[in-house]
Amino acid sequence: MVQDRRKPPFRADHVGSLKRPAHLQQQRERLLGAHTPNSNLGRHDNAELKAIEDQAIIEVIRLQEDCGLLSATDGEFRRRSWWTDFMLGFEGIAQSAQKSKLEFRDSQGQVRSNSSIELTGPIRWAGDIFSDQFRFVAEHTRVTPKLTVPAPTNLLYFLGGEIAKAVPDYRDPSLFWSDLAQAYRQEVAALHTSGCRYLQLDDITLAFLCDAERRQEVASWGYDPDRLLADYIRSVNIAVADRPADMVVTMHICRGNFSGAFGAQGGYEAISDRLFNETAVDGFFLEYDSPRAGSFEPLRHLPRDKSVVLGLITSKTNVLEEPDAVRRRIDEASRYADLDQLCLSPQCGFASNYLGNPVTIDDQRRKLELVVQIAESVWGKIGADAGGVS
């Protein structure tokens, strides 16, 4: 029997980043500079821009609530990108003048992310990174406030595998992973103290281990892809090891989303057994909006105490999915995992950087409303009167 979900992830959920209104993009560029390579990575202290962000966030929280969602984020409106602002909050990680080696592809060929960072010393937690951003959402929403942060798994790839140049001790990769995970562990504790009870770790590099070309890439850096999977899982487990029982942690795993472009392809089979059974999180947001994601068969490895949020609605185009087709795909997924363990969401956020995907805010609203509509047709009423936490 399908049960009401009274805690995250919810039957109708979303990944977190949302399309910025044009005026927010324009004011960010006016006050911080245009979107040139590596410009304005990390958090800012511009009071005028913060006030503009505050108002835009309040409005986007209302949008999420009006769509019928039971969780709300700040849309990542204060960030230049989904990961840089957070990673640069740690001691030992700094902006780099070099171009990123991380490439993404679209229908026109290949694009390259401009964001680039480097290690300048051992990784340490230097104090709260996103607690203040979480508290602002919590103060302005009537649904469950949710925070998204990049998972520790991403950092090795963002550094192009170069971790020992500035920190010779990191010639032993286990020391790199230990320092990184401990820094995350302290941040997770600070977030819980700030009131965060719904935390999402965003990752692209786990799915990269399902792509033959990406596996060859990390092998060329001197890393065994299968050993790397174990390191990834261990880093997440250390990061969340101290979280109290009232804190739900999920992982979002996709193949990259650089203004609609992608970075990898291949189904989850290569990682699913270990990922689902060894990673100490409560659920997984999985990209499933295109053939690049493969079949639902890997869901057979999902243990009974975890959930999967099926990312069946694309955030990369404005094409609105046909509800019956989505319901058929949910039915297909339920052949491998119990329907009670499944939820629905877009496959990724709508704006992994401040410029966003090639969709409009109205497109985004229709997509989010569609998620709620389909979820209610499959699992029943999901509104506040049917459950949810605050």
Side-chain angles (χ1 to χ4, degrees):
M1 180 179 176
V2 175
Q3 301 292 319
D4 286 342
R5 292 194 68 89
R6 299 184 178 274
K7 67 176 185 177
F10 297 110
R11 295 297 186 199
D13 217 314
H14 66 124
V15 170
S17 70
L18 296 165
K19 185 83 173 182
R20 277 68 157 175
H23 75 273
L24 178 55
Q25 295 181 15
Q26 294 161 1
Q27 295 304 314
R28 182 182 179 96
E29 292 183 357
R30 178 179 71 86
L31 294 166
L32 299 184
H35 50 282
T36 54
N38 288 343
S39 65
N40 306 309
L41 300 187
R43 298 185 60 172
H44 68 82
D45 57 2
N46 187 292
E48 183 179 352
L49 182 56
K50 182 180 181 299
I52 296 168
E53 291 169 343
D54 286 352
Q55 184 57 42
I57 290 168
I58 291 171
E59 291 171 2
V60 85
I61 288 172
R62 295 289 91 78
L63 181 149
Q64 294 165 78
E65 294 172 348
D66 290 347
C67 287
L69 295 165
L70 293 182
S71 65
T73 72
D74 63 2
E76 302 180 3
F77 279 13
R78 301 191 195 277
R79 310 183 202 182
R80 187 184 191 279
S81 79
W82 66 278
W83 66 273
T84 51
D85 301 62
F86 182 83
M87 290 292 189
L88 289 169
F90 291 122
E91 180 182 324
I93 301 176
Q95 183 172 328
S96 171
Q98 302 298 314
K99 288 185 178 181
S100 172
K101 298 178 181 179
L102 188 57
E103 292 184 342
F104 295 82
R105 311 162 199 164
D106 61 18
S107 59
Q108 304 303 314
Q110 293 189 333
V111 296
R112 186 184 296 269
S113 169
N114 289 323
S115 302
S116 186
I117 59 173
E118 62 185 358
L119 289 183
T120 58
I123 299 168
R124 299 287 186 266
W125 186 68
D128 291 13
I129 301 174
F130 274 179
S131 290
D132 58 338
Q133 297 186 12
F134 170 79
R135 283 192 292 266
F136 186 86
V137 177
E139 290 166 2
H140 290 89
T141 186
R142 59 179 182 267
V143 296
T144 301
K146 174 181 177 178
L147 182 69
T148 63
V149 302
T153 47
N154 298 284
L155 186 58
L156 181 74
Y157 226 108
F158 294 152
L159 292 167
E162 297 179 357
I163 60 174
K165 186 184 298 184
V167 188
D169 283 351
Y170 289 171
R171 283 192 290 263
D172 178 355
S174 67
L175 298 179
F176 164 81
W177 289 114
S178 176
D179 282 356
L180 178 62
Q182 290 296 339
Y184 264 82
R185 192 173 192 169
Q186 290 171 279
E187 177 67 10
V188 170
L191 289 170
H192 185 271
T193 299
S194 74
C196 180
R197 298 297 182 267
Y198 188 8
L199 177 66
Q200 178 181 295
L201 305 175
D202 291 326
D203 171 83
I204 60 172
T205 56
L206 280 158
F208 282 14
L209 295 180
C210 302
D211 183 309
E213 290 185 16
R214 291 297 193 181
R215 289 175 69 89
Q216 290 176 2
E217 187 174 27
V218 296
S220 73
W221 299 342
Y223 297 94
D224 177 342
D226 293 322
R227 169 74 180 274
L228 203 52
L229 175 61
D231 289 336
Y232 285 170
I233 293 172
R234 189 179 305 111
S235 71
V236 171
N237 290 350
I238 294 172
V240 302
D242 297 331
R243 63 173 172 128
D246 65 347
M247 188 180 206
V248 173
V249 178
T250 60
M251 282 194 76
H252 165 239
I253 299 168
C254 77
R255 290 155 185 78
N257 180 16
F258 182 56
S259 293
F262 65 95
Q265 54 192 337
Y268 298 99
E269 190 62 47
I271 64 171
S272 58
D273 191 356
R274 298 194 65 183
L275 175 70
F276 294 157
N277 289 284
E278 297 178 19
T279 312
V281 298
D282 301 293
F284 302 90
F285 284 71
L286 299 183
E287 173 186 0
Y288 266 121
D289 67 322
S290 79
R292 287 192 301 274
S295 75
F296 294 120
E297 289 186 48
L299 298 182
R300 72 188 186 280
H301 296 297
L302 187 69
R304 290 290 305 171
D305 62 343
K306 295 181 182 178
S307 302
V308 159
V309 185
L310 300 171
L312 297 173
I313 308 297
T314 190
S315 66
K316 294 182 177 180
T317 74
N318 63 358
V319 176
L320 198 63
E321 287 78 359
E322 204 283 317
D324 285 343
V326 176
R327 282 189 284 266
R328 285 193 294 271
R329 296 210 69 202
I330 295 171
D331 182 63
E332 182 183 350
S334 71
R335 301 174 194 171
Y336 302 99
D338 194 293
L339 183 63
D340 195 38
Q341 294 177 265
L342 302 178
C343 306
L344 179 66
S345 76
Q347 114 285 346
C348 195
F350 290 88
S352 57
N353 59 37
Y354 83 100
L355 296 172
N357 291 359
V359 297
T360 67
I361 291 176
D362 284 341
D363 294 332
Q364 173 183 264
R365 177 188 291 272
R366 285 190 288 269
K367 295 266 186 177
L368 294 175
E369 289 174 341
L370 182 65
V371 168
V372 174
Q373 172 195 336
I374 295 173
E376 291 195 333
S377 72
V378 173
W379 291 284
K381 180 67 176 174
I382 63 168
D385 56 337
V389 296
S390 59

